[in-house]
Amino acid sequence: MDFCPKDVIEMTTDRLNAKGITFAECVHPEQCIGCMACTLMCPDAAVELFKQED
Ligand code: SF4
Protein backbone atom coordinates (compact mmCIF):
# COMPACT_ATOMS: atom_id res chain seq x y z
CA MET A 1 0.00 0.00 0.00
CA ASP A 2 2.78 2.45 0.90
CA PHE A 3 4.61 1.87 -2.39
CA CYS A 4 1.68 2.12 -4.79
CA PRO A 5 2.18 5.30 -6.87
CA LYS A 6 -1.50 5.42 -7.79
CA ASP A 7 -3.16 4.83 -4.39
CA VAL A 8 -4.90 1.72 -5.69
CA ILE A 9 -4.64 -0.13 -2.39
CA GLU A 10 -6.16 0.86 0.95
CA MET A 11 -6.66 -0.76 4.34
CA THR A 12 -10.19 -1.71 5.25
CA THR A 13 -11.84 0.44 7.90
CA ASP A 14 -15.10 -1.44 8.35
CA ARG A 15 -14.20 -5.10 7.83
CA LEU A 16 -11.82 -7.60 9.45
CA ASN A 17 -10.27 -10.78 8.16
CA ALA A 18 -10.61 -14.21 9.77
CA LYS A 19 -7.87 -13.29 12.28
CA GLY A 20 -9.76 -10.17 13.36
CA ILE A 21 -7.47 -7.56 11.79
CA THR A 22 -7.91 -5.05 8.99
CA PHE A 23 -6.53 -5.96 5.58
CA ALA A 24 -5.38 -4.31 2.37
CA GLU A 25 -7.68 -4.36 -0.62
CA CYS A 26 -7.66 -3.08 -4.19
CA VAL A 27 -10.12 -0.16 -4.14
CA HIS A 28 -9.24 1.65 -7.36
CA PRO A 29 -8.24 -1.02 -9.91
CA GLU A 30 -8.92 1.37 -12.80
CA GLN A 31 -5.98 3.50 -11.62
CA CYS A 32 -3.45 0.64 -11.70
CA ILE A 33 -0.58 1.11 -14.15
CA GLY A 34 0.85 -2.40 -13.69
CA CYS A 35 4.15 -1.25 -12.20
CA MET A 36 4.26 -4.32 -9.90
CA ALA A 37 5.60 -2.34 -6.92
CA CYS A 38 2.95 -3.94 -4.72
CA THR A 39 3.95 -7.47 -5.69
CA LEU A 40 7.65 -6.74 -5.18
CA MET A 41 7.34 -4.83 -1.88
CA CYS A 42 4.67 -6.79 0.00
CA PRO A 43 6.53 -8.29 3.00
CA ASP A 44 4.31 -11.37 2.95
CA ALA A 45 4.36 -11.87 -0.84
CA ALA A 46 0.59 -11.87 -0.61
CA VAL A 47 -0.14 -9.83 -3.74
CA GLU A 48 -0.83 -11.27 -7.17
CA LEU A 49 -1.26 -9.01 -10.18
CA PHE A 50 -3.52 -9.91 -13.10
CA LYS A 51 -4.37 -8.03 -16.27
CA GLN A 52 -8.10 -7.95 -16.83
CA GLU A 53 -9.20 -8.29 -20.43
CA ASP A 54 -12.19 -6.16 -21.46
S1 SF4 B 1 0.82 -2.60 -9.91
FE1 SF4 B 1 0.43 -2.42 -7.70
S2 SF4 B 1 1.74 -0.73 -7.00
FE2 SF4 B 1 1.60 -0.58 -9.24
S3 SF4 B 1 -0.11 0.85 -9.61
FE3 SF4 B 1 -0.95 -1.24 -9.65
S4 SF4 B 1 -1.66 -1.61 -7.55
FE4 SF4 B 1 -0.27 0.14 -7.48
Side-chain angles (χ1 to χ4, degrees), residues 7-8 16 18 20 23 26 28-29 32-33 38-39 49-50:
D7 296 326
V8 173
L16 304 175
F23 57 92
C26 180
H28 299 295
C32 179
I33 57 173
C38 53
T39 61
L49 187 64
F50 298 93

Side-chain angles (χ1 to χ4, degrees), residues 1-9 26 28-29 31-41 47 49:
M1 185 177 76
D2 292 339
F3 293 95
C4 178
K6 295 297 193 175
D7 296 326
V8 173
I9 306 163
C26 180
H28 299 295
Q31 295 177 188
C32 179
I33 57 173
C35 70
M36 297 187 70
C38 53
T39 61
L40 297 171
M41 299 307 292
V47 181
L49 187 64

Side-chain angles (χ1 to χ4, degrees), residues 10-25:
E10 293 180 4
M11 295 302 289
T12 59
T13 57
D14 57 350
R15 286 169 291 139
L16 304 175
N17 65 15
K19 293 184 178 178
I21 55 176
T22 58
F23 57 92
E25 66 177 346

